[in-house]
Amino acid sequence: MFLRAIALHAIALLLVAVNGEWNTKDYMKREHSLMKPYQGSGMTVPFWDFMGSTMVTSNYVRITPDLQSAQGSLWNTVPCNVRNWELQVHLKIHGKGKDLFGDGMAIWYAKDRMVPGPVFGNMDYHHGLAVIIDTYSNHNGPHNHQHPYISAMINNGTLHYDHDRDGTHTQLAGCEAKMRNVDHDTYIAIRYENDILSVSTDMENKAAWKECFSVRGIRLPTGYYFGITAATGDLTDTHDVLSVRLFELDTPNDVKDEDRSHIIPQASFFEPPRDHVDDPKPSSLGGVKMFLLMMVGAIAIIACVVFSIMFYQKHQENNRKRFY
């Protein structure tokens, strides 16, 4: 019995040592994280700024309500100087729309913060990384995926995000994500480690990560900001954030010594874009003109029918007169 107790104690110490080693490698950075309770003193949120339609409650941070033409954002106030990291976001997208809804939200690691714009509530031609959750398909060409769709984009300030092509000409990779109007929690994890960008999801209530995509050859500078934005247009949805957690990953000493504060964001790989198909040009006729044209056409058709009936009756009458 005494020997068994010693053995169990030794195993426990070994487990503690192993867990301790894991915890030293990956640990959460509080200054880049957001958890309940969100608010500090007054209406402020420690380490975070928000603007636009964003509303902070006790249970969630609502980036946009289910209303038209809404834009909101939530930005970390502290630049991230961690070389290798993993960002885990607990979010929820829901709304009253059954078949038509939008537009979507994006998670950013960007040089500039709090600059509203046309890319899901953030500026175009940004510097850094965007992971986009696009809930509405604008692309008119053939699709090889359904929406909602998660994709990533690396920008050095020169690339334009084309909504008409759903960003396909600048995306690194992507995957479908059935996460809208589900009854369980939904999570997305963005991992950047040793120049490899990986995005994983937990959308099926399995408490396990499922890889969305992984891309090598990604170079990101340190000192950028994390942010989350969302936008609606004619179509609407509610975009909520429930928590944000950033974990610092273990980095080899030789990698830590490299100064990446001034490098330019770049990627060695892009997916080939799909061909763009322009929208059909609207008719030059206005609504009133179109109505009048249809009415004239209907009258002409009715007149033709009446004339045909009268001609047929006259022809029948002439035939009967021949027999008398």
Side-chain angles (χ1 to χ4, degrees):
M1 182 66 69
F2 179 72
L3 293 175
R4 182 181 179 185
I6 293 177
L8 291 175
H9 184 65
I11 293 173
L13 289 176
L14 179 62
L15 290 175
V16 170
V18 171
N19 286 331
E21 184 182 358
W22 289 342
N23 290 333
T24 58
K25 288 184 176 180
D26 303 350
Y27 60 92
M28 191 175 70
K29 304 287 286 184
R30 184 66 183 88
E31 66 272 23
H32 301 298
S33 301
L34 175 72
M35 295 168 292
K36 299 177 185 178
Y38 306 119
Q39 294 179 342
S41 58
M43 293 297 295
T44 62
V45 178
F47 306 117
W48 295 86
D49 286 334
F50 56 93
M51 64 182 299
S53 61
T54 303
M55 179 178 63
V56 181
T57 73
S58 58
N59 295 317
Y60 51 79
V61 178
R62 178 150 294 168
I63 308 298
T64 70
D66 197 359
L67 297 173
Q68 291 182 333
S69 302
Q71 282 191 1
S73 62
L74 177 71
W75 284 94
N76 194 205
T77 61
V78 181
C80 179
N81 293 307
V82 175
R83 171 67 184 273
N84 291 335
W85 47 264
E86 178 171 301
L87 186 73
Q88 298 179 6
V89 182
H90 181 191
L91 48 84
K92 186 175 181 65
I93 300 177
H94 55 104
K96 294 176 290 186
K98 299 297 183 181
D99 299 317
L100 296 175
F101 42 83
D103 285 330
M105 63 193 308
I107 303 170
W108 305 86
Y109 178 66
K111 179 180 180 181
D112 302 300
R113 56 187 293 275
M114 300 288 285
V115 184
V119 186
F120 301 94
N122 192 36
M123 63 181 290
D124 202 358
Y125 299 100
H126 72 280
H127 290 79
L129 163 70
V131 175
I132 296 168
I133 307 170
D134 191 351
T135 56
Y136 178 72
S137 172
N138 296 286
H139 190 67
N140 297 313
H143 272 80
N144 55 7
H145 64 250
Q146 301 295 320
H147 285 69
Y149 190 76
I150 300 175
S151 64
M153 173 184 182
I154 298 293
N155 201 341
N156 59 7
T158 65
L159 300 177
H160 164 62
Y161 181 85
D162 188 348
H163 277 283
D164 291 338
R165 285 194 276 187
D166 293 328
T168 56
H169 68 307
T170 51
Q171 76 174 31
L172 300 175
C175 72
E176 298 176 14
K178 296 181 179 179
M179 57 182 296
R180 184 181 178 274
N181 277 354
V182 297
D183 295 329
H184 52 265
D185 293 333
T186 51
Y187 300 85
I188 182 170
I190 305 166
R191 188 180 183 95
Y192 180 64
E193 185 177 21
N194 300 328
D195 294 341
I196 300 174
L197 176 68
S198 303
V199 174
S200 302
T201 62
D202 179 9
M203 306 293 182
E204 301 174 357
N205 201 27
K206 294 182 178 180
W209 294 115
K210 177 182 178 181
E211 184 176 281
C212 175
F213 59 83
S214 181
V215 182
R216 295 178 176 273
I218 306 298
R219 288 175 58 83
L220 291 174
T222 55
Y224 281 17
Y225 297 90
F226 291 106
I228 303 174
T229 65
T232 66
D234 293 333
L235 304 177
T236 67
D237 249 344
T238 300
H239 301 91
D240 294 339
V241 174
L242 286 81
S243 70
V244 179
R245 291 179 170 86
L246 182 82
F247 296 91
E248 181 177 3
L249 307 180
D250 185 50
T251 304
N253 290 329
D254 58 336
V255 176
K256 282 183 179 180
D257 295 336
E258 181 187 358
D259 182 10
R260 284 207 167 184
S261 60
H262 300 293
I263 69 170
I264 298 174
Q266 64 181 38
S268 58
F269 170 83
F270 286 94
E271 276 193 353
R274 298 182 303 232
D275 292 333
H276 178 62
V277 180
D278 292 329
D279 290 326
K281 294 182 178 180
S283 173
S284 59
L285 296 174
V288 176
K289 291 182 180 179
M290 182 64 71
F291 174 75
L292 292 176
L293 183 62
M294 293 177 64
M295 180 176 291
V296 171
I299 293 173
I301 293 173
I302 294 173
C304 290
V305 172
V306 171
F307 178 78
S308 299
I309 294 174
M310 292 176 63
F311 178 80
Y312 176 77
Q313 290 177 344
K314 186 68 175 178
H315 180 71
Q316 290 294 102
E317 183 179 350
N318 291 335
N319 288 338
R320 286 197 298 269
K321 287 181 178 180
R322 294 176 184 175
F323 292 100
Y324 293 104

